[in-house]
């Protein structure tokens, strides 16, 4: 997997003379990428920027979700409200022409409240139809499972995200996300309308299942102090850490950080207690210290399937740039009024 940098270049459409006293240039380095998950490192910034990016990915990246359901017939065991709620939680995927990735629907659709149409139109909504009628007795008496695959879209670029990835699809016994089970003589006929929105309004528009970050662990080994230990004592220190972030170098016999220590370091209290017991004097420095960086953050983002994980990151950066441009414009307006 390749790694690359994406710089927060914030182009401002208006000229302004704002100068930050301690200007920084945050950077993003992608370390692992898949359609449903992305891991990256955010550096040269602080927790305010890290938490801003995380909250934008959770609550302000626009997606499509079913917002209105019109029932024509429902003789299933679930009432209309229950089925409508389940339909609202089905991830809706926008796949631009010529692309195989779930993309950002911003620009392709208008928010429903901003559209000039009377009720709905192709510019602000996508319609799905579902009509399942069980008019026969199923073998072995098993119920018929209505899934997201039964939803038929009127937009060729928009469809339900039936599965998160190929592995999930291979392991599934259904053709999509289960909505309701039906028996002989039952029928479900409805029309569902998907609209663009953000999770700040309702969680059904949230594009991420997980969006977390943690501080980069900084492991410092005091070679001078470690040299005073026996091999048994070194091994005791290595074994005392439950995350296995330390190991003994085979050639030199010194304690070194494990190759993937950054990903594993979460708990180091046991390491402190072991070191305290091995010190000759209480005031001696620690053999190994594990602290957290204050300007490097390790992000892990998992998609619901509505968008590819990489698109979620790119879209969140776009939202952040738009907000900063808006703030710069408002500050400039206030300066002109003064």
């Amino acid at each position: 997997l390749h790694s690359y940098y994406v710089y927060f270049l914030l182009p401002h459409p208006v000229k302004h003379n704002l100068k930050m006293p301690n200007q920084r240039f945050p950077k993003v380095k992608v370390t692992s990428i898949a359609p449903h998950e992305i891991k990256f490192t955010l550096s040269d910034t602080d927790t305010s920027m890290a938490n801003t990016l995380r909250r934008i990915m959770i609550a302000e990246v626009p997606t499509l979700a079913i917002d209105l359901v019109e029932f024509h017939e429902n003789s299933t065991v679930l009432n209309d409200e229950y089925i409508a709620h389940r339909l609202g939680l089905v991830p809706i995927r926008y796949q631009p022409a010529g692309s195989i990735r779930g993309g950002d629907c911003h620009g392709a659709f208008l928010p429903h409240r901003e559209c000039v149409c009377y009720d709905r139109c192709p510019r602000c909504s996508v319609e799905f139809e579902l009509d399942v009628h069980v008019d026969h007795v199923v073998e072995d008496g098993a119920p018929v499972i209505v899934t997201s695959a039964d939803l038929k879209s009127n937009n060729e670029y928009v469809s339900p995200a039936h599965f998160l990835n190929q592995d999930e699809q291979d392991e599934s016994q259904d053709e999509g996300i289960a909505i309701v089970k039906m028996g002989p003589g039952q029928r479900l006929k409805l029309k569902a309308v998907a609209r663009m929105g953000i999770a700040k309004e309702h969680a059904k528009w949230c594009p991420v299942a997980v969006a977390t970050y943690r501080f980069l662990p900084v492991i410092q080994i005091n070679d001078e102090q470690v040299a005073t230990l026996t091999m048994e004592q070194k091994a005791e220190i290595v074994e005392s850490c439950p995350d296995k972030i330390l190991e003994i170098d085979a050639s030199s016999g010194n304690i070194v950080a494990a190759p993937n220590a950054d990903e594993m370091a979460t708990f180091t209290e046991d390491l402190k207690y072991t070191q305290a017991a091995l010190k000759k004097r209480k005031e001696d420095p620690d053999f190994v210290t594990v602290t957290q960086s204050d300007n490097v953050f390790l992000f892990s983002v998992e998609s619901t399937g509505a968008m590819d994980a990489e698109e979620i990151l790119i879209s969140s950066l776009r939202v952040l740039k738009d907000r900063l441009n808006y703030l710069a414009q408002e500050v400039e307006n206030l300066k002109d009024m003064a």
Side-chain angles (χ1 to χ4, degrees), residues 255-329:
I255 295 178
V256 296
N260 53 348
D262 293 349
E263 301 177 2
M264 300 187 298
T266 57
F267 181 76
T268 58
E269 286 297 316
D270 290 349
L271 183 61
K272 294 180 181 179
Y273 298 139
T274 303
Q275 292 187 97
L278 293 176
K279 288 181 182 179
K280 295 180 180 179
R281 295 178 301 175
K282 185 177 180 180
E283 61 271 17
D284 287 343
D286 289 337
F287 305 103
V288 180
T289 58
V290 182
T291 58
Q292 60 185 27
S293 172
D294 60 358
N295 65 350
V296 182
F297 309 90
L298 307 178
F299 273 79
S300 178
V301 179
E302 295 181 21
S303 169
T304 61
M307 297 173 64
D308 278 22
E310 182 182 4
E311 292 292 330
I312 295 174
L313 173 59
I314 295 174
S315 181
S316 65
L317 296 178
R318 175 190 56 77
V319 173
L320 178 58
K321 288 196 293 184
D322 291 344
R323 292 295 182 88
L324 293 175
N325 286 337
Y326 174 78
L327 177 61
Q329 178 67 70

Side-chain angles (χ1 to χ4, degrees), residues 37 50 77 80 90 108-109 119 126 155 158 177 206 255 262 269 272 282 322 335 337:
E37 181 182 17
V77 295
D80 294 354
V90 174
F109 295 92
D119 183 22
V126 178
N155 188 320
V158 178
I177 299 172
C206 182
I255 295 178
D262 293 349
E269 286 297 316
K272 294 180 181 179
K282 185 177 180 180
D322 291 344
K335 289 174 63 177
M337 294 172 59

Side-chain angles (χ1 to χ4, degrees), residues 144-217:
V144 173
I145 301 178
V146 180
T147 70
S148 56
D150 295 306
L151 289 167
K152 308 303 179 184
S153 172
N154 70 342
N155 188 320
E156 60 178 325
Y157 304 122
V158 178
S159 63
H162 308 303
F163 301 100
L164 190 60
N165 51 47
Q166 188 62 42
D167 292 338
E168 186 177 274
Q169 181 175 352
D170 294 339
E171 295 174 0
S172 176
Q173 298 179 356
D174 300 322
E175 295 181 359
I177 299 172
I179 298 173
V180 64
K181 295 181 179 180
M182 298 173 56
Q186 294 181 341
R187 185 179 184 182
L188 178 61
K189 183 178 181 181
L190 57 84
K191 178 181 290 185
V193 180
R195 294 168 175 157
M196 186 175 72
I198 58 176
K200 185 179 286 188
E201 181 178 349
H202 194 284
K204 65 187 176 184
W205 280 296
C206 182
V208 298
V210 175
T212 62
Y213 72 83
R214 60 189 181 89
F215 298 94
L216 176 74

Side-chain angles (χ1 to χ4, degrees), residues 7 35 56 63 65 78 157 160 182 210 233 240:
Y7 290 85
I56 289 176
T63 62
L78 299 182
Y157 304 122
M182 298 173 56
V210 175
Q233 291 173 324
S240 67

Side-chain angles (χ1 to χ4, degrees), residues 75-104:
S75 55
T76 69
V77 295
L78 299 182
N79 56 40
D80 294 354
E81 293 81 2
Y82 202 103
I83 294 177
H85 180 263
R86 292 183 64 84
L87 288 170
L89 298 179
V90 174
I92 305 299
R93 187 179 181 91
Y94 168 66
Q95 206 161 285
S99 174
I100 60 173
R101 303 195 307 180
D104 186 354

